[in-house]
Amino acid sequence: MEMPPVNPVGEKDTSQPQQQWEKNPQENLESTTQIKQQSPDPPTEILELRVSPNQASQILENSQGTEKLAAGLQGNSAKSRGSTSEMPEPLQASDLWYCPDGSFVKKIIIRGHGLDKPKLGSCCRVLAFGFPFASGLPEGWTELTMGLGPWREGTWGELIEKCLESMCQGEEAELQLSEHSGPPFRLTLASFTQGRDSWELEASEKEALAREERARGTELFRAGNPEAAARCYGRALRLLLTLPPPGPPERTVLHANLAACQLLLGQPQLAAQSCDRVLEREPGHLKALYRRGVAQAALGNLEKATADLRKVLAVDPKNRAAQEELGKVIIQGKKQDAGLAQGLRKMFG
């Protein structure tokens, strides 16, 4: 290893070491050989994580998961290099990108060029490697349009779109998923066409895209896929929420449909919140009242559930679904009262 030159503090006589070298060349040759054989192992790779305060709060919320993901990426990088006598390049903080929701960590393998990134409507030429068959993403080169197409409906499509939104042209990256313990997946963004941010769209364009998402969501819901339907409704709402208030009336339908998906997905708290959005605009919306009643019952708020279901029946006395749900709530309330009475008897009996 070559050492950098050091400025001498004072002059020294170097003639004596030179004479000794000339007198014993064979001994010095053997010493040099031994030194080469005892060269130290190359240093291990250094992982530096420098994050901003916002990133730090996101990473703390998912600290256990993201630490494992970053460690996995570092380990895979070391394995891919194998044994080498060259000095490895340290892994810089800029080489890692943490998805804000904690779903994956991206490690940049080859940096792209430029500052532009894919936007809504960008047609991306992508090379995917290592993704499972269930992802719906074909191995090899393919073209994906940001914000459009059925490829975005599944969980994998959502992850890939989030990753592409963070990539520059020519970038190659590895993705380590929080719920995947195997080797990372590799994604290359060769090129993409110019797209637009949502704020650049005209109001009519946003409404048209939202209608497409709503229609697709309804198809998926009827086909028994509430998870993908919820993604479509959510994307439609994000488009419409950027419009000036009060916004189009379609927002009410989207929130009501999203609540139906959330109930099927076992998310009563979110379903109740979605119904609240509907009832803020239309206090007499029967579907929202019924779905909020079901959500409140699932959360154990029986009085609130009873109130919502009775409002439905006051307008529509023959509503079978509301009648059945109210009956369940009443039975559940009686069980709670009986349990409470028994506990009081044991306490004071």
Side-chain angles (χ1 to χ4, degrees), residues 181-203:
S181 59
F185 309 105
R186 186 161 292 203
L187 197 65
T188 302
L189 176 60
S191 62
F192 61 89
T193 60
Q194 188 66 32
R196 290 186 292 175
D197 286 314
S198 59
W199 57 266
E200 297 178 288
L201 299 175
E202 299 290 339

Side-chain angles (χ1 to χ4, degrees), residues 4 31 33 36 62 92 96 103 119 121 153 171 184 190 225 231 239 266 272 292 336 338:
S31 302
T33 305
K36 289 182 178 179
N62 301 280
Q92 303 296 328
L96 293 178
S103 56
K119 300 177 182 179
E153 292 165 3
E171 181 178 323
N225 192 348
R231 293 193 187 96
L239 285 166
R292 191 173 69 174
Q336 283 188 1

Side-chain angles (χ1 to χ4, degrees), residues 39-95:
S39 60
D41 295 333
T44 57
E45 188 173 7
I46 302 171
L47 177 62
E48 298 179 2
L49 296 179
R50 301 188 184 94
V51 295
S52 65
N54 289 336
Q55 289 173 317
S57 64
Q58 295 163 356
I59 294 172
L60 284 174
E61 293 174 1
N62 301 280
S63 58
Q64 184 176 3
T66 51
E67 286 174 6
K68 290 180 180 179
L69 299 185
L73 285 172
Q74 187 178 7
N76 286 315
S77 176
K79 290 179 182 178
S80 63
R81 283 196 309 270
S83 60
T84 176
S85 60
E86 297 180 358
M87 179 78 73
E89 294 184 3
L91 187 62
Q92 303 296 328
S94 58
D95 292 330

Side-chain angles (χ1 to χ4, degrees), residues 210-266:
R211 284 194 294 270
E212 291 180 9
E213 292 285 4
R214 175 189 169 186
R216 182 58 181 160
T218 301
E219 291 179 8
L220 292 166
F221 185 84
R222 290 173 177 170
N225 192 348
E227 186 176 4
R231 293 193 187 96
C232 291
Y233 295 141
R235 286 193 292 260
L237 282 167
R238 285 192 291 274
L239 285 166
L240 297 180
L241 287 173
T242 59
L243 297 177
E250 193 170 12
R251 284 172 52 182
T252 302
V253 179
L254 288 167
H255 278 299
N257 291 352
L258 183 59
C261 296
Q262 290 163 338
L263 284 175
L264 291 176
L265 294 171

